[in-house]
Amino acid sequence: MQNKTTTFAEEINQAQHCAMAEDDNMICMGLGINDPKAIFGTTTGLQSKFGSDRVFDMPTSENAMTGVGIGAAITGTRVLMTHQRVDFFLLAMDQLVNNAAKWHYMFNGQMTVPLTIRLIIGRGWGQGPTHQQSLQSWFAHIPGLKVVTPSLTDNVGQLLYQSIMDNNPTIFLEHRWLHNQNIDKETCVDYNSNMQTTRVIKEGEDVTIIANSYMLLEAIHCHNFLKKQGVNCEVIEVSEPTNIDWQTIYNSVNKTQTCICTDIGHNSFSVSSEISAKIYEACFTSLKKPIKRIALPSYPEPTSFGLTKKYYKTRTEITKAVSELLDREIFMTEDVEFPHDVPGNWFKGPF
């Protein structure tokens, strides 16, 4: 009997299989791409199906290998690179910013760089300052780069597939805690259908909540809880910070007249900062109260189990913000029965 469900990680894997099958010249490389864990199960079966000439492990030389990837891409090869942490990739920023992002512009649009780089964001289990950075705003600041931050299983395959098939360099930021989301496979979006980079996930008329990546799950939990309290929040997903459908956001804010912007990164100079600024420019007279922003504090994540408890923001902080915007007392108590530094009691690693 065919399995009718799928996970976030399986959809990422399937998207790579589809892209590799469609483009015979495409290559995939990454540290641990063919080891038994297959980068958290996201690269399973790629090498056995497409061969070691097209799918291969790489040395711990991020800068050099990114240069190899860019060189292959500008000469016509479609390239997918995977790094098991965003933080490891930072050695290659010069290659990304000064070569990949600018090549198309410097050659007057005559050359392309069909390169996609998967970067995985860590969290929990003592990840600490150098294994959990969420740098979507940093990458989005660079003209010429496309930045994608998937949130849900239903469209992650489409987002990755279309990123790979795009002829522009793309940073694909996956949160590790999203990999095990399980849904009915029939609800998944067709890879070749029109992509919605800004989606209304939950409709409502009281407060607009804008989120992406893991914070979207927190926003959905908040929506479901508040609905029982008679509060209807509209939850909007922004899966491509460099290509936001602003009208979708403006329409929602003009309707609810209140807004919360969440972020997986630090609060200062963040994607939520940019979204808030754009809303103020377009919807200032509609807002009843200032926008609330919920993001990480401006210091690195501690390694200590105790110190991380209040570091990450959750549905509790979103609920508190809704309460303040609506001048209504609403309290949410944490209903979880597992440690705060894992996504669930089912999680056994690896991180």
Side-chain angles (χ1 to χ4, degrees):
M1 183 177 177
Q2 189 175 7
N3 188 1
K4 293 183 179 180
T5 63
T6 186
T7 67
F8 192 93
E10 288 168 350
E11 283 301 299
I12 289 171
N13 180 258
Q14 185 61 33
Q16 292 172 87
H17 275 268
C18 289
M20 291 286 287
E22 184 166 328
D23 189 336
D24 292 336
N25 291 318
M26 178 181 162
I27 60 173
C28 284
M29 55 178 160
L31 191 64
I33 199 168
N34 62 335
D35 72 15
K37 296 293 185 181
I39 309 183
F40 314 120
T42 63
T43 58
T44 301
L46 283 173
Q47 190 177 80
S48 60
K49 184 171 183 178
F50 299 103
S52 58
D53 287 342
R54 296 181 61 198
V55 181
F56 48 89
D57 203 343
M58 69 182 200
T60 312
S61 304
E62 289 82 2
N63 192 39
M65 292 309 296
T66 301
V68 170
I70 293 170
I74 64 178
T75 56
T77 300
R78 196 168 301 281
V79 179
L80 174 64
M81 295 186 69
T82 300
H83 295 269
Q84 296 194 35
R85 284 294 180 269
V86 177
D87 320 69
F88 305 161
F89 173 73
L90 300 184
L91 290 165
M93 285 302 290
D94 177 58
Q95 296 278 16
L96 178 73
V97 175
N98 288 324
N99 292 320
K102 294 179 173 56
W103 205 259
H104 183 72
Y105 178 81
M106 290 193 299
F107 286 89
N108 198 31
Q110 297 177 71
M111 298 191 73
T112 59
V113 188
L115 168 70
T116 299
I117 303 174
R118 290 178 55 213
L119 303 176
I120 299 173
I121 301 166
R123 174 174 168 179
W125 260 8
Q127 294 290 287
T130 59
H131 289 75
Q132 60 71 238
Q133 296 176 83
S134 302
L135 301 175
Q136 57 173 338
S137 61
W138 191 5
F139 293 116
H141 187 71
I142 307 302
L145 279 185
K146 174 181 172 180
V147 179
V148 179
T149 53
S151 312
L152 300 175
T153 303
D154 71 325
N155 72 336
V156 64
Q158 182 201 42
L159 289 171
L160 180 57
Y161 174 81
Q162 293 201 19
S163 294
I164 294 169
M165 305 312 290
D166 195 321
N167 288 328
N168 298 294
T170 301
I171 297 295
F172 195 86
L173 290 163
E174 295 167 33
H175 199 292
R176 176 69 182 97
W177 282 22
L178 297 173
H179 280 158
N180 293 78
Q181 291 181 87
N182 189 293
I183 64 166
D184 190 328
K185 194 169 182 61
E186 292 182 356
T187 65
C188 289
V189 178
D190 184 88
Y191 292 171
N192 289 301
S193 63
N194 291 331
M195 191 163 63
Q196 289 182 280
T197 62
T198 310
R199 298 192 296 172
V200 176
I201 302 298
K202 299 287 186 179
E203 293 187 353
E205 61 282 337
D206 294 324
V207 181
T208 297
I209 303 174
I210 301 168
N212 67 11
S213 191
Y214 190 75
M215 284 304 290
L216 183 66
L217 270 61
E218 296 290 351
I220 293 172
H221 282 302
C222 183
H223 165 90
N224 294 339
F225 168 77
L226 289 171
K227 193 170 184 180
K228 298 174 183 176
Q229 314 299 316
V231 177
N232 291 311
C233 296
E234 184 143 290
V235 179
I236 297 178
E237 174 198 26
V238 173
S239 59
E240 193 177 325
T242 48
N243 183 28
I244 296 173
D245 176 7
W246 292 107
Q247 198 56 53
T248 295
I249 291 175
Y250 299 157
N251 289 345
S252 178
V253 173
N254 285 329
K255 175 178 64 175
T256 66
Q257 300 181 307
T258 50
C259 182
I260 298 169
C261 287
T262 71
D263 205 301
I264 55 171
H266 298 289
N267 206 31
S268 301
F269 309 101
S270 61
V271 169
S272 66
S273 301
E274 178 65 18
I275 293 174
S276 297
K278 295 282 284 187
I279 291 171
Y280 277 126
E281 289 174 351
C283 308
F284 183 77
T285 57
S286 296
L287 290 166
K288 291 180 178 178
K289 286 190 174 183
I291 295 168
K292 295 279 188 181
R293 290 197 297 125
I294 298 173
L296 302 183
S298 294
Y299 57 86
E301 180 198 29
T303 304
S304 159
F305 174 83
L307 292 177
T308 55
K309 186 167 181 62
K310 298 298 182 182
Y311 183 80
Y312 286 101
K313 308 308 176 185
T314 68
R315 64 200 76 170
T316 301
E317 283 76 23
I318 301 174
T319 301
K320 181 181 178 182
V322 171
S323 174
E324 292 172 355
L325 285 174
L326 299 180
D327 292 319
R328 176 177 169 182
E329 286 193 356
I330 306 171
F331 299 102
M332 172 181 276
T333 55
E334 294 288 352
D335 57 352
V336 294
E337 298 177 355
F338 48 86
H340 70 270
D341 64 340
V342 294
N345 53 16
W346 47 266
F347 192 85
K348 305 301 180 186
F351 264 97

